Amino acid sequence: MNKLWENPAFRIKVDSVAEIKLKELFDGLVMENLFALQERAVLNSLLDDAMPDDAFPLNDGECYCSYELRNDSKIIARVTTQIDIQDCRLSRGPIIIFHRKNGITNIDDPISLMKSLVQQAPEDVMPDLSGLDDFMHNLALSQAQSTWSAEYTDLIVQNCMQPKVELHHWEQLCALRDRPFHPLAKAKKGWAAEQFRQYSAETSDGFGLSWVAVNNKYLVGNKAIRGRVIAECLLTKSEQEVLWSECGVRSLDCNEYTLIPVHPWHLKSHMLQEFQKPIADDHIIVMAESLGLFYPTASGRSLIPAHQELLHVKLPLALQCLGALRILPPRYLFNGYQAQKMLLDVIARMSGFNDININLCDEHQWVAYLPEGESMLSNQSGYLSCLLRSYPNKENNLIPMAAFAVAVGDKVPALEWLYRQQEDERSFLDFSMGIFSAITKLLCQFSFHCFSFGLMPEVHGQNILVGFNRASLRQLTLRDHDTLRIFPPWIQQQQIPLQDYKMDWSTPNSLICLAPQQLLSYFLTLGVQVNLLSIADALSRSYGIPMEIFWEKMKSIIEELLNEMDIPVITKAILRKEIMDNKLWPSRKILSPCLIKRNRMMGMPNSVGSVINPFHRLSSLGAK
């Protein structure tokens, strides 16, 4: 197989995309202490004596990070040491390799950095690199696809500056950054440039779906949406007529079969080959191609019908993204509805949100093909399934939280758009911090309430939408419930009906937590270190606001909530100890697991690590 990362001709033009990916990789390597960077790297304000003083100058607030390689050479990067979850982050490229005899070599993209470490780092600090080929391929693919996305940046920002911005435009903006701080996030393994441009949220003009008919004998899920119901929900009247006409031509009985949409790339690349027998046996009948017009969301597999935006459809994609196949086994869909029921019970008992509405997308309407002899735990059935996601009535301007984490040049488009909606005359700086504070308080308050009942949704920025009436925060909407983590003893103690999850115990379980601290770790990692930190990072880089100010704001908000919220004492004690007092926070390693060879491609690879508690550092500075 041709290895993209080993091809000498592969060289992306050095621009902001390459520099962003270089930064993501460097920061991730430091955070996870790969190649013993935390122990071996040295921070100082002076260059090596053998280097010219003006060869690699510092800006204010920067220092050097030096790491000794083999063969009398070292890697030198310019970093910032602001209060954060790690000691330093790359401030700008390039990184250099300095050799006393051979001089300076620039590293201006992540592939070159990784190659240098793999080839020249000390042998005693080499990590497990059994999956290096796949890692490097995905790194190259992520950089290439980020470059393709960047071509659409101006158009996306322009759409997000209109007086009325549709949800799919915000989704396009979110897709520009994708999963924050993850250098492999853009890699959609299976899509070449043509497919990426056609089907990825930030580049797509929309596309039609393929439609199949599935014999009801082989379906599980909600019986109320069998037959024509899904098509009636997702297609316009004229589009429906095309499908009904095809049903007539084939004499298809819609009391016996259910019409289900399929992503067109997924049908051609996987289903036609893998489902040959059920197609030959008429368990599955391919009915139509390219019917309707749908816009992909940032996730890629959730799609918005062009004629209405309050009902989305989520479909399987046999595509590798973030190290996982994006298929939809029926257990995921079943568990999502069980989670929704528990969340509804908890939300009904929440208080203290004043005039802010907390609501959920309705995700109980789903069906999945289940072949004979397979169980609900089958992954094979995850290649043909469908979820209808219904949004609450739209009273406010809904924006995914992830949109506020996207910086373009020296602006955060979502914040710039919101600033135009305000009715008072606040300065932009005051407005920015006001919005950040409001979002932070709402996310933390909601998460702490959930935690007190023994639940924790996946509170990263793509799963939560915030609604604004002009520039006032009025709504939090949660979607994608199939990863609700639970701590059953607290759920039962609070007399919330405990729903049964369908679990594949042959794979690592992350839904059922064995301790409240494990449950809380999902807030600290996804809610703080991915969601809130990425927003703070975007605002800091765009508007020059020191990161310390954002951490101080988060700390004061959490302290205020812990003093004021009406939740059990034991809950507050655990929150205070784990968030405020401990010197370290749990973290999710994302690079280390991707460097290890994997045999299964279902869940996103990750493992548990730790990072610095920035609140503890703030307290230490205050004491001094």
Side-chain angles (χ1 to χ4, degrees):
M1 183 182 75
N2 178 40
K3 296 176 183 176
L4 183 61
W5 68 277
E6 286 187 345
N7 182 355
F10 179 79
R11 178 76 177 180
I12 293 175
K13 180 183 175 183
V14 177
D15 55 15
S16 59
V17 169
E19 191 166 14
I20 288 169
K21 292 299 172 185
L22 178 65
K23 175 175 169 53
E24 288 175 343
L25 179 63
F26 179 89
D27 293 351
L29 293 171
V30 171
M31 189 182 82
E32 297 184 27
N33 198 26
L34 283 162
F35 303 98
L37 278 165
Q38 291 181 17
E39 291 87 6
R40 302 288 180 91
V42 177
L43 300 177
N44 54 56
S45 58
L46 298 174
L47 280 172
D48 188 288
D49 291 341
M51 290 182 64
D53 291 339
D54 60 350
F56 204 48
L58 295 176
N59 288 338
D60 290 342
E62 291 181 326
C63 66
Y64 296 113
C65 177
S66 301
Y67 177 82
E68 294 286 345
L69 301 171
R70 300 195 299 267
N71 304 322
D72 198 27
S73 61
K74 63 176 67 175
I75 286 178
I76 305 175
R78 291 172 291 204
V79 300
T80 60
T81 57
Q82 298 184 72
I83 289 179
D84 206 337
I85 58 172
Q86 58 193 76
D87 283 328
C88 69
R89 288 185 185 271
L90 187 68
S91 55
R92 57 190 167 119
I95 296 171
I96 62 172
I97 296 180
F98 173 65
H99 192 283
R100 290 184 178 275
K101 292 183 178 178
N102 301 328
I104 295 172
T105 302
N106 278 4
I107 296 175
D108 44 34
D109 64 80
I111 298 163
S112 299
L113 173 61
M114 199 65 193
K115 280 184 178 179
S116 298
L117 288 167
V118 168
Q119 295 167 359
Q120 301 182 59
E123 293 181 1
D124 64 325
V125 299
M126 284 291 177
D128 184 343
L129 299 174
S130 55
L132 179 65
D133 281 353
D134 195 51
F135 181 95
M136 295 296 279
H137 178 84
N138 285 331
L139 192 61
L141 191 59
S142 177
Q143 188 172 336
Q145 293 181 345
S146 295
T147 303
W148 301 335
S149 295
E151 297 170 9
Y152 294 77
T153 300
D154 290 345
L155 177 60
I156 291 170
V157 172
Q158 180 181 335
N159 288 334
C160 291
M161 289 295 107
Q162 301 300 316
K164 179 175 172 56
V165 182
E166 302 294 340
L167 182 55
H168 83 269
H169 290 139
W170 292 127
E171 293 286 350
Q172 288 182 311
L173 185 69
C174 294
L176 282 177
R177 185 168 190 183
D178 213 305
R179 202 281 201 185
F181 310 118
H182 198 319
L184 308 180
K186 288 299 260 188
K188 308 296 189 289
K189 198 172 182 181
W191 283 351
E194 181 182 354
Q195 289 80 37
F196 183 88
R197 294 178 196 276
Q198 186 174 2
Y199 298 124
S200 190
E202 60 273 42
T203 59
S204 176
D205 292 327
F207 52 88
L209 297 178
S210 300
W211 289 81
V212 301
V214 181
N215 191 307
N216 291 339
K217 294 178 183 179
Y218 308 103
L219 281 180
V220 292
N222 190 328
K223 292 183 179 181
I225 59 170
R226 291 187 176 181
R228 296 184 173 194
V229 176
I230 297 172
E232 289 171 343
C233 289
L234 296 176
L235 298 175
T236 65
K237 292 292 185 183
S238 61
E239 292 161 356
Q240 291 173 37
E241 289 302 322
V242 174
L243 195 53
W244 307 158
S245 176
E246 187 64 27
C247 291
V249 170
R250 296 169 179 265
S251 300
L252 187 84
D253 184 352
C254 287
N255 292 315
E256 183 181 350
Y257 282 83
T258 294
L259 294 163
I260 299 175
V262 179
H263 192 287
W265 176 85
H266 179 75
L267 177 74
K268 293 176 182 177
S269 68
H270 182 85
M271 280 189 57
L272 292 180
Q273 292 78 28
E274 299 298 323
F275 285 70
Q276 289 183 22
K277 187 175 189 308
I279 290 174
D281 293 340
D282 282 346
H283 297 173
I284 301 170
I285 303 171
V286 179
M287 299 293 295
E289 294 186 15
S290 193
L291 190 56
L293 179 63
F294 296 82
Y295 299 119
T297 65
S299 73
R301 59 180 174 175
S302 292
L303 305 156
I304 306 174
H307 65 284
Q308 53 92 0
E309 63 172 14
L310 293 182
L311 183 69
H312 298 184
V313 58
K314 185 176 181 181
L315 301 174
L317 266 180
L319 185 75
Q320 277 192 42
C321 179
L322 290 173
L325 272 179
R326 308 296 286 166
I327 60 173
L328 284 177
R331 68 179 184 276
Y332 288 16
L333 299 165
F334 176 86
N335 291 344
Y337 181 44
Q338 305 312 299
Q340 177 180 316
K341 289 189 283 188
M342 287 187 282
L343 281 166
L344 283 171
D345 284 333
V346 166
I347 290 171
R349 294 169 58 176
M350 288 182 177
S351 61
F353 287 94
N354 300 322
D355 56 352
I356 294 178
N357 292 323
I358 309 295
N359 47 41
L360 306 177
C361 289
D362 184 351
E363 300 183 356
H364 82 284
Q365 297 188 89
W366 64 271
V367 290
Y369 170 70
L370 193 64
E372 286 183 299
E374 298 284 349
S375 75
M376 286 276 284
L377 302 181
S378 164
N379 289 331
Q380 177 68 16
S381 59
Y383 290 93
L384 177 53
S385 52
C386 170
L387 166 70
L388 296 181
R389 174 181 293 145
S390 179
Y391 284 71
N393 288 334
K394 187 178 179 183
E395 300 174 358
N396 303 295
N397 295 303
L398 279 181
I399 306 175
M401 282 187 69
F404 292 94
V406 180
V408 178
D410 59 352
K411 289 180 171 55
V412 175
L415 194 67
E416 299 276 345
W417 180 83
L418 205 56
Y419 184 65
R420 298 180 183 183
Q421 316 305 312
Q422 69 167 340
E423 295 177 317
D424 55 20
E425 298 298 328
R426 282 181 291 174
S427 70
F428 188 81
L429 181 60
D430 288 344
F431 178 81
S432 302
M433 293 309 301
I435 293 297
F436 179 79
S437 299
I439 287 175
T440 298
K441 181 176 181 180
L442 180 57
L443 178 69
C444 293
Q445 187 178 5
F446 171 72
S447 299
F448 293 171
H449 268 298
C450 288
F451 178 65
S452 72
F453 285 96
L455 311 175
M456 187 57 66
E458 194 159 63
V459 288
H460 59 64
Q462 191 54 38
N463 276 12
I464 294 180
L465 299 99
V466 282
F468 293 87
N469 183 358
R470 299 186 80 67
S472 297
L473 185 55
R474 290 287 181 264
Q475 182 177 341
L476 181 149
T477 298
L478 196 67
R479 63 185 177 189
D480 215 12
H481 313 311
D482 61 5
T483 45
L484 178 75
R485 274 82 183 196
I486 62 174
F487 179 54
W490 279 10
I491 295 176
Q492 294 169 317
Q493 188 179 45
Q494 294 277 15
Q495 299 182 332
I496 298 292
L498 179 63
Q499 307 296 326
D500 289 330
Y501 281 161
K502 300 289 185 186
M503 301 293 295
D504 180 359
W505 294 105
S506 67
T507 63
N509 159 55
S510 68
L511 294 181
I512 301 175
C513 297
L514 302 179
Q517 291 82 359
Q518 182 186 2
L519 185 69
L520 184 60
S521 73
Y522 290 99
F523 165 74
L524 283 170
T525 52
L526 297 174
V528 177
Q529 297 167 39
V530 174
N531 191 349
L532 293 178
L533 178 55
S534 64
I535 296 173
D537 172 68
L539 296 177
S540 178
R541 287 190 286 115
S542 295
Y543 306 116
I545 307 170
M547 283 298 299
E548 181 178 338
I549 291 177
F550 294 103
W551 290 117
E552 286 175 341
K553 182 60 68 176
M554 280 190 256
K555 183 172 183 282
S556 66
I557 287 170
I558 291 173
E559 286 178 333
E560 178 184 334
L561 289 173
L562 292 180
N563 288 332
E564 295 180 355
M565 285 182 66
D566 183 18
I567 54 178
V569 173
I570 184 64
T571 304
K572 285 190 179 183
I574 294 173
L575 286 167
R576 188 173 296 280
K577 181 178 185 299
E578 297 297 315
I579 300 176
M580 310 304 295
D581 298 341
N582 286 352
K583 292 184 178 180
L584 297 176
W585 280 348
S587 70
R588 295 286 161 189
K589 294 184 177 181
I590 52 177
L591 299 183
S592 309
C594 288
L595 282 167
I596 299 171
K597 189 175 182 62
R598 302 174 72 217
N599 295 319
R600 294 175 65 96
M601 288 296 176
M602 281 301 299
M604 174 181 165
N606 70 83
S607 59
V608 178
S610 62
V611 292
I612 297 166
N613 180 348
F615 298 159
H616 195 272
R617 291 179 68 186
L618 286 171
S619 299
S620 300
L621 284 179
K624 293 178 182 178

